[in-house]
Each structure stands twice: as C-alpha cells, then as structure tokens.
Amino acid sequence: MAKPLMVCPRFDLQPGHSAETPGLRRVQSPEEVSQVFAQTRRNAKTVEYCAELIGPGIRLHHGKVNSKLPGTATQMKWHQDFPFEPMTNDDMITCLLFIDDVTLENGPHEVLPGKHKGSTHSHWHDGVFTGAVDDAITDAQRDKIVKCTGGGGAACLIHANLLHASARNLSDQSRRLYITACYAEDAIELSPNHLPCTLTHVLVRGEASGRVRCTPYKMELPAVPKATSFFAQQEGGDIG
C-alpha cells in the first residue's frame, strides 16, 4: 500500500458531530488506506463504463466515500463538478458506486438530464467560491429533476458538467457512496487538485499517449477549500 499523501484531514465531519450524534460525511482518498477500495477503483465495472464513454485511456482524479448517516443534515447544493477540477478537456466522469440502498428518503443524488451539454456556470458569488450555482438556474427547471435511486451495488455515472445535488437523509437508513472521478488520459489538470493522494493521475485503463487534447471553453478557476472539503465551501466556511 502506498504511503498516504493527505494534505487535509482524512475524515470530514458534519458540524455538531459528537459521540452521541455522529456526523461523518466523508472519508477522503480511502484507496490510500484500504486494499478493498484500492482494488475497486481499478477493477469496478464503473471503470469499464468510463472507458466506453471517454476512453480507452482513463486516469483517476480522486476518490472518496460520501456518507449520509440517518437524520444528518448533510446535503449538496446544485453544482457541476468541472468548475472544481478544470482540465484541458471535459471528458471526465464522476462514478457513484452505491454501498447502501439509495432510496427517495435517504438523500439520493438529483440530476438535470442533458444539462452537461449546456453552459458551465459560475460557482463564485460576491468574490467567494461557494461551490454552488445560483438558485435561479435550477428553480426554473425543477420539473425536469430526476432522482437517482437503486440497490446496494448499483452505479450512477455523472458527467463533470452535469448539474446535480442531493438532499438530507430523512430516513433511518444510511446512504453511503464510493465515488471516483475518472478522466480521459489525454487531459491535463489546470488547477491544484483539492483531494490529492498518491494515486492521483494513475492510469486505471489503457496506456499513456504522450499527448494532450484541448477543447475551447471559458471558466473561472476554483478555490481550494480552506476547510476539509467543498461541503464547508457550500456552507460558507470559506468566507472571511
């Protein structure tokens, strides 16, 4: 197992976390400390699916386990992933592997299908990188929202420019996801990786081409979270 390369805490805790009311909401880069996750990020069917869509060469950008314990307030505001991790091209997919059953009650991902083909929206507001788009962008499209549910072991693939969010877990069941972000081998990162680890940029499919592919777009660069993760950015933790 590679020596860990964490520059932020491994565990991201919900504000108000305590022994009586636990609030673990993320484990950063579990591949560094678990052979199970290290093998999964390379051998899961999701990697094959990514290769079919954006391959054949695929690299790992980062991995994490997102957790919504029963009754916790963790939620994600509407956002796109690409403004957090700009590359020279947008052939990038976030793979969600369901560890638990994901139901309508325990905080499933919500997506706006087809919006990955549209604009890359600003995630900055009043000079602060909030990690979320303006509410007006999604309020006008709420009738088109699809909620991504499925049993444990199911998977959901999200393009880096797809608008998505998730609500609180209002059930008595946990909702945990193993999430890996994979990108086309011929893309190069344009801003600091906010979740760097020893496996960042490792080839998980195909071979290195020695080329870079660039596609035209304009986008504001992100801000690396001052706190543990982008959850804090969405909560206003980077203000001040």
Side-chain angles (χ1 to χ4, degrees):
M1 182 67 64
K3 181 180 179 181
L5 181 68
M6 291 299 298
V7 295
C8 58
R10 177 79 60 188
F11 303 104
D12 183 10
L13 303 175
Q14 178 77 33
H17 162 83
S18 67
E20 294 74 27
T21 310
L24 175 65
R25 60 187 179 187
R26 175 174 288 177
V27 179
Q28 324 267 31
S29 304
E31 308 87 0
E32 287 192 314
V33 293
S34 166
Q35 285 287 359
V36 171
F37 286 106
Q39 293 172 8
T40 300
R41 58 97 193 175
R42 178 177 290 277
N43 299 320
K45 287 289 186 180
T46 50
V47 181
E48 294 182 19
Y49 301 151
C50 286
E52 291 180 13
L53 293 168
I54 61 173
I58 301 292
R59 293 186 186 274
L60 176 73
H61 187 273
H62 69 270
K64 59 205 174 193
V65 173
N66 277 5
S67 172
K68 289 187 183 182
L69 298 177
T72 55
T74 296
Q75 60 182 327
M76 288 193 308
K77 297 179 181 179
W78 285 95
H79 68 285
Q80 298 162 297
D81 289 340
F82 201 44
F84 289 86
E85 45 211 23
M87 313 285 286
T88 55
N89 65 70
D90 68 354
D91 277 344
M92 188 172 193
I93 295 176
T94 300
C95 306
L96 315 178
L97 184 59
F98 297 2
I99 298 174
D100 302 304
D101 292 348
V102 178
T103 68
L104 294 174
E105 292 75 31
N106 66 1
H109 271 65
E110 301 176 350
V111 302
L112 280 166
K115 296 305 175 184
H116 65 292
K117 297 179 181 179
S119 302
T120 301
H121 300 286
S122 177
H123 289 54
W124 288 82
H125 301 279
D126 297 324
V128 177
F129 186 75
T130 64
V133 300
D134 192 284
D135 290 339
I137 293 171
T138 52
D139 285 346
Q141 307 177 72
R142 292 201 170 275
D143 60 326
K144 301 176 183 177
I145 291 173
V146 173
K147 297 187 178 183
C148 304
T149 60
C156 177
L157 273 60
I158 296 177
H159 186 272
N161 259 329
L162 184 67
L163 280 165
H164 61 285
S166 68
R168 298 177 180 180
N169 183 353
L170 301 178
S171 76
D172 60 358
Q173 301 295 318
S174 294
R175 192 232 66 179
R176 294 168 297 174
L177 307 173
Y178 175 43
I179 301 175
T180 52
C182 298
Y183 65 95
E185 178 276 330
D186 58 3
I188 292 180
E189 202 166 46
L190 298 178
S191 68
N193 192 308
H194 62 287
L195 288 176
C197 80
T198 51
L199 300 173
T200 299
H201 309 315
V202 167
L203 272 169
V204 291
R205 280 293 185 280
E207 299 178 355
S209 66
R211 298 189 299 267
V212 58
R213 176 166 51 92
C214 302
T215 55
Y217 68 88
K218 292 182 180 180
M219 182 171 65
E220 298 160 302
L221 291 172
V224 176
K226 295 179 182 178
T228 309
S229 74
F230 95 113
F231 288 117
Q233 288 177 315
Q234 290 197 341
E235 293 163 354
D238 279 7
I239 297 175

